[in-house]
Amino acid sequence: MGARDMSKWETAISEVVSSEDEEEVIIRGHKLSDLVGKVTFTEMMFLLIKGELPSEGQAKVLDALLVASMEHGIAPPAMMSRCLASYGSPIQAAVAAGVLVFGDWTGGAGEQFAKMLVAHVEMLNNKQTGISDESLRDEAKKIVEEALRTGQRVAGFGIPLHKEDPRAPVLLKIAREEGIFNIYCRFAKLIEEELGKAVGHPIPMNLDGVGGAIILDLGFSWQSARIFIITPRTVSMGAHYLEESGQETRWRHITQDRVEYVPEKP
Ligand SMILES: CC(C)(COP(=O)(O)OP(=O)(O)OC[C@H]1O[C@@H](n2cnc3c(N)ncnc32)[C@H](O)[C@@H]1OP(=O)(O)O)[C@@H](O)C(=O)NCCC(=O)NCCS
């Protein structure tokens, strides 16, 4: 790692071809003109990020995750986008503002969760204990105990808007049907079980949690987790921007009686 020349780049993602014989874009070894009209948006996303086209089952599971992630009411990303619409900001600024909301405990927790799952699975591999459900459950218990002992929340579980996030069970069902419910989904379910036991009531997996586990079982890296939530949600931010603009809203704000002035004590 070090400083690099701005005038020299390397990429295995794509090549823009413009020659006497050909105008083309080569993407991960495929001609764009062969992909257009033949692969879906989901398959193209898989190809771009992973470097290869998905199997039918992988495409179905990723597509389900993208659909599940696209809209979730006037939650913070859509709310930000709608606020910017009301201030007359351009649509791309509104979408960018919504994207910036994805933080460590709002919409972005899938990354920490996936990172943690990978670290624990690597540890088990290194110990060469074999990765049985029993050893996964022991790790799950340790994760929950550590979080509760230190007053932390386990990323990927709990959601204020639902008693149970309706997206997790349906996605896990599809992952099972398509043979994608592998070590990371199993591990996530065991953490959910152990968390519920330790706290004394269920704290069901949320979209970030299920998304983190599924993308790992699809073979993506933990670093990519947020892409799969944020990309579909930009569509929602666009839709909310357009709707708010259509309502001719000007300047969403809070009235001053909602703001309490609390001067610092001298
Ligand atoms: C999302 C979140 C803030 C929702 O919180 P909430 O629904 O308001 O739940 P509460 O804060 O009222 O917590 C209810 C109880 O469950 C516990 N709890 C909730 N989520 C928990 C979690 N992920 N891990 C451990 N305990 C959790 C709380 O400690 C609390 O127990 P207490 O009443 O004894 O203090 C919270 O679940 C969380 O921080 N989750 C982890 C981050 C995450 O996945 N974010 C993505 C959300 S889409």
Side-chain angles (χ1 to χ4, degrees), residues 7 20 36 38 48 78 142 165 192 253:
S7 61
E20 274 193 14
V36 174
K38 296 199 185 71
L48 211 67
K142 281 187 215 158
D165 193 324
E192 183 181 54
H253 68 295

Side-chain angles (χ1 to χ4, degrees), residues 93-165:
V95 171
V99 167
L100 294 179
V101 165
F102 286 79
D104 288 351
W105 49 87
T106 302
E111 181 181 303
Q112 292 100 305
F113 184 54
K115 185 179 183 185
M116 180 185 75
L117 294 183
V118 168
H120 282 267
V121 166
E122 269 173 12
M123 223 152 58
L124 288 175
N125 271 332
N126 291 343
K127 280 201 238 156
Q128 293 182 326
T129 51
I131 306 196
S132 60
D133 267 0
E134 207 183 6
S135 47
L136 276 182
R137 189 179 288 282
D138 287 343
E139 288 303 307
K141 278 186 191 152
K142 281 187 215 158
I143 289 167
V144 169
E145 276 165 17
E146 173 70 7
L148 297 188
R149 191 179 57 76
T150 55
Q152 306 281 317
R153 303 285 171 88
V154 185
F157 298 87
I159 186 161
L161 298 177
H162 299 283
K163 285 192 283 306
E164 179 183 8
D165 193 324

